[in-house]
């Protein structure tokens, strides 16, 4: 999978992986169909950061969720 390509499938994949890694029960508020090109790059940055870590503090999870919420609102 080439995540450098801005596709709906890639965005869906990254969102699902972030939700799994953070054990987020409700992540349905963020939909890949709502992302524009700039938001895709932001999502990719969040995904790469989350994928590269094995543990998260409460404050890190809160910050990540806030960023995902910002993508949803934009």
């Amino acid at each position: 999978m080439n995540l450098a390509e801005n596709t709906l499938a890639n965005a869906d994949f990254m969102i699902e992986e972030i939700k799994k890694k953070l054990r987020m029960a409700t992540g349905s508020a963020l939909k890949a169909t709502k992302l524009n090109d700039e938001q895709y790059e932001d999502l990719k940055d969040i995904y790469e950061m989350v994928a590269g870590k094995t543990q998260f503090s409460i404050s890190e999870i809160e910050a990540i969720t806030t960023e995902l919420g910002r993508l949803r609102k934009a």
Side-chain angles (χ1 to χ4, degrees):
M1 179 173 287
N2 181 3
L3 296 179
E5 294 178 25
N6 182 354
T7 66
L8 185 60
N10 284 348
D12 277 335
F13 170 79
M14 288 188 288
I15 290 168
E16 289 305 312
E17 289 300 306
I18 291 168
K19 287 179 355 186
K20 281 186 218 173
K21 190 90 177 213
L22 298 180
R23 295 181 180 97
M24 293 173 68
T26 58
S28 61
L30 180 62
K31 300 281 186 200
T33 55
K34 302 291 185 192
L35 300 176
N36 62 33
D37 289 344
E38 182 180 315
Q39 290 170 314
Y40 181 84
E41 288 303 316
D42 292 342
L43 175 63
K44 187 172 176 249
D45 290 342
I46 293 169
Y47 167 76
E48 289 172 348
M49 188 271 298
V50 168
K53 291 189 65 133
T54 56
Q55 295 182 353
F56 299 91
S57 69
I58 298 294
S59 60
E60 286 174 318
I61 292 173
E62 288 174 356
I64 292 165
T65 357
T66 299
E67 273 303 300
L68 291 172
R70 184 188 64 75
L71 292 180
R72 185 186 72 214
K73 292 175 188 169

